C-alpha cells in the first residue's frame, strides 16, 4: 500500500544516516476506504493527493512540537515520505490515517516531498497555528492555508542524501 509518512528535516536527516525511516508513532496516511468515502468526486490520483495533504498537515504538527521545544534552527519545511509498505487502518484518527509497524527501509521509499525555501516563512507561521486551526480559529486556518498554497517539491529517493547535505 502506498503510504504518506509525515516527517521533518531532522527525521529526514536521520533517515539518510540510518538507511531507514522511523515514523513517529507509526502514523502514516493513505487512500483508505474511509478517505475515499469522504469525497464525492475525484480520481485515484486526486484522492492520493488528499492523503498526502493530510500527511503534510501532520508534518506541520511535528514542526510545531520541534519549534515549541526550542529547535528554532530546524528548517521550516514540511516533509512527506511516500513509501510502499504494509499498513493497518486507524479508524480512530483522521479519514486517511493508517499505522505502520517498524522502520521503513530505503528500498520501500518511492519519493520524498519537501517544501522549498520560499515556503519557510508561511510554514513556520502555520506550524505555530495548527492546533488553533484544529479548534476552529479562522485566523489560524488562514495561516495553514498560506502554507498549503505552497506545493511540495518531489524528490527521487536517490536525491535525498544530496538534499539533506545541502540543507
Amino acid at each position: 500500500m502506498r503510504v504518506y509518512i509525515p516527517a521533518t528535516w531532522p527525521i529526514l536527516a536521520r533517515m539518510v544516516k540510518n538507511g531507514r525511516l522511523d515514523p513517529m508513532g507509526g502514523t502514516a496516511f493513505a487512500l483508505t476506504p474511509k478517505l475515499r468515502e469522504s469525497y464525492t468526486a475525484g480520481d485515484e490520483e486526486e484522492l492520493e493527493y488528499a492523503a498526502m495533504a493530510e500527511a503534510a498537515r501532520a508534518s506541520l504538527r511535528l514542526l510545531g512540537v520541534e519549534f515549541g521545544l526550542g529547535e528554532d534552527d530546524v528548517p521550516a519545511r514540511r516533509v512527506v515520505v511516500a513509501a510502499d509498505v504494509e499498513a493497518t487502518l486507524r479508524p480512530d484518527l483522521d479519514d486517511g490515517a493508517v499505522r505502520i509497524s517498524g522502520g521503513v527501509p530505503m528500498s520501500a521509499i518511492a519519493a520524498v516531498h519537501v517544501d522549498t525555501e520560499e515556503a519557510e516563512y508561511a510554514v513556520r507561521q502555520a506550524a505555530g497555528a495548527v492546533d488553533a486551526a484544529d479548534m476552529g480559529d479562522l485566523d489560524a486556518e488562514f495561516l495553514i492555508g498560506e502554507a498549503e498554497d505552497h506545493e511540495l517539491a518531489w524528490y527521487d529517493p536517490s536525491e535525498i542524501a544530496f538534499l539533506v547535505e545541502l540543507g
Side-chain angles (χ1 to χ4, degrees):
M1 167 183 281
R2 173 66 48 95
V3 299
Y4 299 93
I5 306 164
T8 62
W9 199 265
I11 293 170
L12 194 61
R14 281 192 301 275
M15 180 182 87
V16 169
K17 180 182 175 190
N18 299 332
R20 72 176 189 283
L21 173 64
D22 294 310
M24 291 293 244
T27 300
F29 298 84
L31 177 51
T32 64
K34 190 174 178 183
L35 181 64
R36 189 181 302 280
E37 289 173 13
S38 69
Y39 285 85
T40 57
D43 63 18
E44 196 82 8
E45 187 175 323
E46 291 170 318
L47 296 174
E48 287 280 346
Y49 185 82
M52 187 177 78
E54 285 193 28
R57 186 167 286 207
S59 176
L60 281 177
R61 289 183 180 94
L62 294 174
L63 281 168
V65 169
E66 289 176 352
F67 297 149
L69 296 174
E71 300 291 335
D72 293 331
D73 59 336
V74 169
R77 297 184 187 187
R78 296 170 296 161
V79 176
V80 175
V81 178
D84 296 311
V85 295
E86 294 296 319
T88 57
L89 300 178
R90 290 284 315 264
D92 57 317
L93 295 178
D94 295 338
D95 290 347
V98 295
R99 178 178 305 283
I100 54 178
S101 60
V104 177
M106 292 292 283
S107 60
I109 294 172
V112 176
H113 306 271
V114 181
D115 272 312
T116 61
E117 189 175 334
E118 292 78 30
E120 286 197 29
Y121 178 79
V123 169
R124 186 172 295 279
Q125 298 302 308
V130 70
D131 290 336
D134 287 344
M135 298 303 292
D137 183 318
L138 295 179
D139 291 332
E141 188 60 44
F142 177 78
L143 292 174
I144 302 298
E146 290 287 309
E148 290 176 344
D149 283 346
H150 293 273
E151 290 292 325
L152 298 173
W154 179 91
Y155 293 92
D156 184 87
S158 65
E159 299 172 304
I160 302 310
F162 185 67
L163 176 68
V164 169
E165 185 179 311
L166 288 177

